[in-house]
Amino acid sequence: RGDRLREVTRGARDGRPSRFSTGRNEAGPRCVGPWGTAGAQRSLLYSIEHPVRMPHRAVVLGEAPPELVALLDRCAPPLDVVLAPPAVDREGARRALAERPAIVIVMASLADGPALPQMRALPAEARPEALIVCSLREGDAVGAFEVRATDFLQLPAAAARVAAALARARQQLLQGELLRAADELQRLLG
């Protein structure tokens, strides 16, 4: 995609390319058109072809099975999710939540007690935007959704199911960001 020349045509019914041509060559990106200086042209082309991605930070609370950790490591990078080191006890969970991760993956129990009561005790403004609860017991699903979990994974979970849960959590984050941006735009426009 980036190495081949693309012709951008205006009303290309006659088959002739317009004055606008974008592409790459050995010297780097180039852009020909009525956009001003060469530096501005390169900047415009680069920003269109390479949008800035901000990875979302995720943390695992509790002792996750090695299989789940391996699946998370494999599924997270394509979704722009960066996994932080896990927190296995209540104090570690408190510290991890204080750093405001975007996605929290909670095992049903921590090393020193159940995790869901700790999540219930969090004030609404301190709760993560996306929460995935994992448990061996299907009965924990009700408790997961009581704390407004984005998804519930019954372990052991298939790779596709883990990937779908992470994608759903990321989608929820993106929707929240979009709503905040729209509110800010509306506030600025008055």
Side-chain angles (χ1 to χ4, degrees):
R1 167 179 149 197
D3 292 327
R4 79 183 162 221
L5 185 64
R6 289 190 320 228
E7 295 293 336
V8 181
T9 59
R10 243 191 233 171
R13 291 193 175 105
D14 58 2
R16 293 182 323 196
S18 73
R19 298 179 310 159
F20 303 96
S21 169
T22 61
R24 291 187 186 278
N25 59 22
E26 308 78 42
R30 74 179 164 87
C31 183
V32 180
W35 293 300
T37 67
Q41 293 168 2
R42 279 192 300 275
S43 176
L44 174 67
L45 178 63
Y46 189 81
S47 66
I48 291 171
E49 289 186 353
H50 306 287
V52 176
R53 291 185 179 178
M54 301 296 290
H56 298 286
R57 205 169 140 279
V59 66
V60 177
L61 303 183
E63 294 181 13
E67 302 84 24
L68 179 62
V69 173
L71 287 174
L72 289 170
D73 283 339
R74 193 172 68 219
C75 296
L79 296 170
D80 291 325
V81 174
V82 176
L83 290 173
V88 295
D89 59 4
R90 287 182 184 190
E91 186 55 38
R94 249 188 298 276
R95 283 194 306 270
L97 291 171
E99 293 178 11
R100 309 280 303 174
I103 301 172
V104 175
I105 302 159
V106 180
M107 305 311 295
S109 62
L110 299 168
D112 54 356
L116 292 179
Q118 186 169 359
M119 297 307 293
R120 274 189 208 99
L122 286 175
E125 64 275 357
R127 287 190 181 170
E129 250 185 279
L131 178 67
I132 301 171
V133 177
C134 305
S135 177
L136 293 169
R137 299 179 324 180
E138 187 177 336
D140 288 334
V142 173
F145 292 113
E146 285 176 354
V147 294
R148 298 183 148 209
T150 305
D151 208 336
F152 174 79
L153 290 176
Q154 184 175 359
L155 301 177
R161 183 67 182 94
V162 173
L166 275 176
R168 188 173 292 115
R170 183 175 177 271
Q171 182 66 32
Q172 185 169 339
L173 292 172
L174 294 175
Q175 287 174 346
E177 291 170 3
L178 183 61
L179 288 173
R180 283 189 294 279
D183 288 344
E184 179 64 16
L185 183 61
Q186 189 173 22
R187 185 189 67 79
L188 290 172
L189 293 174

